[in-house]
Amino acid sequence: MTNPILSDWTTPFEIAPFAEISDDGFAPALEAALQAHADEINAIATNTRRASFANTIEALEAAGEALNKVLSVFFTVAGADSNPEREALQREFSPKLAAHFAAISSNKALFQRVDDLWAKRDTLKLTEEQDRVLMLTHRGFVRSGAALHGAKDARMQEIKARLASLGTAFTQNLLADERGWFMELTDDDLAGLPGFVVDAAHAAGREKGAKGPVVTLSRSLIVPFLQFSPRRDLREKAYRAWASRGANGGETDNRAIAAEILQLREERAKLLGYDSFAAFKLETEMARTPERVRDLLMQVWAPAKARAEADAEILTRMMQEDGVNGPLEPWDWRYYAAKRRKAEHDLDEAELKPYLQLERMIEAAFTCANRLFGLEFAPLDVPLYHPDCRAWEVTRRGKHVAVFIGDYFARGSKRSGAWCSAMRAQARFPKVQTPIVINVCNFAKGDPALLSYDDARTLFHEFGHALHQMLSDVTYDSISGTSVARDFVELPSQLYEHWLEVPEVLAEFATHAETGAPMPPQLLDKVLGAANFDQGFQTVEYVASALVDLAFHDGPAPADPMAKQAEVLAEIGMPHAIGMRHATPHFAHVFAGDGYSSGYYSYMWSEVMDADAFAAFEEAGGAFDPERAQALEDNILSKGGSKEAEDLYLAFRGRLPGVEALLKGRGLVDA
């Protein structure tokens, strides 16, 4: 019987036939796909004909179709709908995949062909895009260790395999801690909580099979609980559980894993001739050096800390007025900040949330994309990997552009956070293919589902990534969509968040869940007026995490990452009542894989650009200025990684921005 994972997909738009795929098909499909890819690579490496761009670089681009199909399906379900079988498969697959790709990068005959082409690149008469792909391919081989020999080469392969296994273990430990903890609530415990939090707690209790409402470690539930519960003892219990993910001892403890990952990364960098892993990692990013990253972060840290400390004094007085003595604690900040926001801006999350319906926010994101780029979205009725998922066909002027899948609700089988991925990227070689893009979020279920303002911003953020994939218009898969420098990849996503705050967007789509009435103008004014509320807190928790990440990788790997974390926080004077956004044992951005290692700063690097980029719209005809929208698509969204990120931004804006736009955007300039 043909394995449906490897068969020709005759589904609409060749979406994976999820209804036919079972977990027991993944292992044989992977084995077959790995062998097929290995055979393709061997054929390229042993080709007796002289190396050419077509028979080497384009051949590499065309290889691995079966493997891409297997991995696109498997990693989609492993991240968004895991189970014990898939977790076991992930542990089994990680070292196999690491070994497979390490064998490719260490294939000396293959690298020789790529290196020969690189040496004579000026004579090959390549297009600009082909020249870029050749450069990236050659650089990728070198940075993977292709030029290493003997014991160094063998050690590099060992390091890669071990890092893959450790990253998987880190992720699964974190998921286990998040899935395993919940706090049952009585009716008395619900006192003082707004209706949407009560509803979410009941829904979470049903999902957990509990007898009543619960608080889980899903951000969409625990954050509003910390904001609104008057029970300080329960807030402390919930916060401590949230902050200690990955650090509870036993089999799911991530601290030793983090230490080993950092040591192996340092060794890997030194095998390649770099002083530190940060120096290695940042070489290909816009920032280029650890020094430039630290300079940006510290320019933001000082005003953010000043604002946070001033805010802490106000919140402490509020707490003392409630008869609570002692210092302001991390489980107090959100509660008193919410009370302060209501007092100063007359803005209450409970009043706001009914106007932020998930359905209407999806509609808002789609409508903005239509006004800016002419995209249209029509629902698709196709089998997907979970009943919560929905799909749309994306078209422009009647022509198919992409398939977009949204998976919005939190559940125990889904890892925390929000992300965008492409099950298939846009390309024109070796055949024309349109993207299949997924946004995964963790919003609380409800009837209807209501979002916090941060949730709504997250929805727009991830959809900005999706637009980067959908509007990609390049030849080769390897430079398609979001295949750009890590500190540039967040520009389209963070830029798109700005359209949520356009008054006419909220006026049209922020409608009351029960009455259908639009958000009253006075409430809209409050929302926009409070947009920068508590930015000291938000900026401090983020920048602290980014500075710790950089310190981990810029220099010798710490034997005790927790001690190093404490040292960094002490050096910068971390306010007592603010925790890192991601403490080391649950810092999945950094330890689940190499993606954001030494690169967590990239959100802020991109924010410097996104504030300046949206200003370009405001300076022109407004948020929906057609010329600026076309320029954004032509110079950034359609280009993928076909040019250096700096060149793409310069083509759009004409100059590079300074940090001032970011500080102004966050309301920190007077701090």
Side-chain angles (χ1 to χ4, degrees):
M1 182 177 177
T2 304
N3 190 323
I5 305 174
L6 295 174
S7 64
D8 291 333
W9 294 347
T10 58
T11 49
F13 309 108
E14 298 181 342
I15 297 172
F18 288 105
E20 302 171 23
I21 293 172
S22 61
D23 288 347
D24 59 9
F26 282 121
L30 181 69
E31 292 298 333
L34 287 174
Q35 186 58 58
H37 192 217
D39 292 343
E40 291 169 329
I41 295 298
N42 184 59
I44 299 168
T46 59
N47 190 338
T48 56
R49 302 194 63 171
R50 192 174 186 177
S52 68
F53 187 84
N55 69 22
T56 303
I57 305 302
E58 287 191 328
L60 285 170
E61 290 282 329
E65 181 180 1
L67 185 57
N68 289 338
K69 289 174 70 172
V70 176
L71 297 183
S72 72
V73 176
F74 178 73
F75 284 116
T76 294
V77 298
D81 191 28
S82 192
N83 59 32
E85 291 77 17
R86 291 168 186 172
E87 290 177 12
L89 287 169
Q90 201 168 4
R91 291 190 294 271
E92 177 188 338
F93 289 177
S94 291
K96 287 184 177 181
L97 288 169
H100 174 76
F101 289 108
I104 294 173
S105 62
S106 63
N107 186 315
K108 304 307 178 188
L110 179 61
F111 176 61
Q112 187 61 58
R113 295 178 70 84
V114 174
D115 201 38
D116 288 347
L117 289 172
W118 178 246
K120 60 182 182 182
R121 60 191 179 280
D122 292 338
T123 68
L124 298 178
K125 298 180 180 179
L126 302 178
T127 67
E128 186 178 9
E129 190 175 325
Q130 289 173 332
D131 189 65
R132 174 76 173 170
V133 171
L134 173 58
M135 184 279 289
L136 292 172
T137 303
H138 182 265
R139 187 175 75 182
F141 270 95
V142 172
R143 288 172 61 83
S144 293
L148 299 178
H149 296 277
K152 289 185 176 181
D153 186 19
R155 180 56 183 157
M156 179 65 79
Q157 312 320 315
E158 292 173 359
I159 289 172
K160 289 180 181 178
R162 181 60 179 160
L163 283 172
S165 295
L166 290 170
T168 297
F170 189 98
T171 302
Q172 294 190 351
N173 287 346
L174 179 55
L175 179 61
D177 275 7
E178 291 173 343
R179 185 171 52 206
W181 186 93
F182 59 89
M183 180 173 66
E184 297 191 60
L185 302 174
T186 66
D187 288 341
D188 289 343
D189 298 335
L190 298 174
L193 295 175
F196 73 86
V197 181
V198 174
D199 291 344
H202 278 289
R206 289 191 294 272
E207 198 258 339
K208 292 293 184 186
K211 295 178 181 178
V214 303
V215 173
T216 68
L217 297 180
S218 170
R219 178 176 285 271
S220 62
L221 179 51
I222 195 168
V223 168
F225 182 80
L226 292 170
Q227 286 176 315
F228 296 111
S229 175
R231 288 281 302 278
R232 193 177 192 231
D233 58 330
L234 296 183
R235 296 201 311 267
E236 180 179 358
K237 182 178 180 181
Y239 180 86
R240 287 189 182 279
W242 195 34
S244 65
R245 290 169 292 158
N248 292 306
E251 294 181 353
T252 63
D253 197 294
N254 275 332
R255 288 171 288 191
I257 291 175
E260 186 177 355
I261 287 173
L262 293 174
Q263 290 163 5
L264 290 173
R265 284 177 180 165
E266 181 191 9
E267 185 180 357
R268 175 184 171 190
K270 290 192 170 177
L271 282 172
L272 294 171
Y274 294 87
D275 292 336
S276 68
F277 184 81
F280 161 72
K281 188 69 184 298
L282 295 172
E283 181 183 51
T284 59
E285 309 299 333
M286 287 186 74
R288 302 297 183 198
T289 67
E291 291 74 25
R292 288 187 71 189
V293 172
R294 188 173 288 103
D295 179 61
L296 167 70
L297 293 173
M298 293 309 296
Q299 284 186 66
V300 178
W301 175 258
K305 181 186 174 188
R307 176 62 52 81
E309 289 175 335
D311 290 342
E313 292 180 6
I314 296 171
L315 300 184
T316 300
R317 287 196 297 269
M318 293 173 64
M319 186 177 73
Q320 291 170 347
E321 289 169 2
D322 279 353
V324 181
N325 296 316
L328 184 74
E329 298 289 352
W331 48 88
D332 296 318
W333 190 293
R334 289 175 175 85
Y335 178 70
Y336 285 99
K339 293 181 71 171
R340 180 187 175 197
R341 184 172 74 161
K342 182 164 175 38
E344 293 185 1
H345 296 277
D346 194 22
L347 184 60
D348 184 350
E349 188 81 18
E351 178 189 8
L352 174 62
K353 200 155 186 174
Y355 290 97
L356 299 177
Q357 300 174 70
L358 172 62
E359 295 305 312
R360 299 245 61 199
M361 291 299 102
I362 294 172
E363 189 181 351
F366 287 177
T367 299
C368 289
N370 175 262
R371 292 184 62 182
L372 289 164
F373 310 114
L375 299 179
E376 297 181 335
F377 300 81
L380 281 174
D381 184 12
V382 292
L384 297 169
Y385 60 86
H386 192 277
D388 286 346
C389 296
R390 303 148 67 186
W392 293 265
E393 181 189 5
V394 187
T395 59
R396 180 156 57 180
R397 294 183 290 276
K399 181 181 179 182
H400 177 77
V401 172
V403 169
F404 175 67
I405 298 170
D407 179 4
Y408 294 110
F409 296 122
R411 53 180 175 266
S413 62
K414 183 189 290 186
R415 65 179 170 89
S416 61
W419 63 94
C420 175
S421 60
M423 291 195 68
R424 183 177 68 212
Q426 177 273 330
R428 293 192 292 271
F429 179 89
K431 61 182 180 181
V432 174
Q433 62 186 39
T434 54
I436 298 174
V437 189
I438 303 178
N439 275 179
V440 183
C441 300
N442 270 283
F443 303 143
K445 269 191 174 179
D447 185 20
L450 303 178
L451 306 183
S452 68
Y453 199 70
D454 282 345
D455 288 340
R457 187 181 287 114
T458 295
L459 187 148
F460 269 70
H461 178 101
E462 298 306 332
F463 194 72
H465 282 309
L467 288 172
H468 203 179
Q469 297 279 11
M470 293 181 211
L471 294 173
S472 177
D473 186 18
V474 298
T475 302
Y476 301 104
D477 187 316
S478 64
I479 54 170
S480 177
T482 57
S483 299
V484 299
R486 180 64 63 179
D487 50 9
F488 191 69
V489 76
E490 298 298 337
L491 169 61
S493 56
Q494 293 180 185
L495 175 59
Y496 204 65
E497 292 179 33
H498 287 272
W499 274 272
L500 173 63
E501 297 180 351
V502 173
E504 64 187 279
V505 174
L506 285 173
E508 180 176 358
F509 295 101
T511 57
H512 198 279
E514 295 179 4
T515 67
M519 183 183 290
Q522 59 270 31
L523 180 56
L524 176 59
D525 290 342
K526 293 175 191 175
V527 170
L528 297 176
N532 284 323
F533 181 77
D534 216 22
Q535 276 295 332
F537 171 88
Q538 294 180 39
T539 308
V540 161
E541 65 166 5
Y542 166 79
V543 175
S545 297
L547 285 167
V548 168
D549 165 42
L550 186 66
F552 279 161
H553 297 97
D554 185 21
D560 183 350
M562 299 305 293
K564 183 66 174 180
Q565 173 183 296
E567 176 188 321
V568 173
L569 297 182
E571 286 177 355
I572 61 177
M574 183 72 170
H576 170 77
I578 303 179
M580 293 169 62
R581 182 168 299 177
H582 303 289
T584 299
H586 53 87
F587 207 162
H589 278 79
V590 169
F591 293 107
D594 274 358
Y596 282 89
S597 54
S598 297
Y600 192 61
Y601 76 92
S602 60
Y603 289 92
M604 188 142 283
W605 190 275
S606 293
E607 190 177 339
V608 170
M609 290 180 286
D610 84 62
D612 181 66
F614 192 70
F617 281 85
E618 295 176 316
E619 292 162 9
F624 294 99
D625 181 76
E627 291 185 5
R628 285 292 83 200
Q630 191 64 55
L632 179 63
E633 179 177 351
D634 290 346
N635 296 301
I636 294 177
L637 297 179
S638 68
K639 289 293 189 281
S642 60
K643 295 182 179 180
E644 289 291 333
E646 186 170 305
D647 295 335
L648 295 177
Y649 193 82
L650 284 170
F652 168 71
R653 191 64 164 119
R655 58 172 172 74
L656 292 175
V659 74
E660 296 79 14
L662 178 148
L663 295 174
K664 180 181 178 183
R666 286 186 172 234
L668 299 174
V669 286
D670 297 323

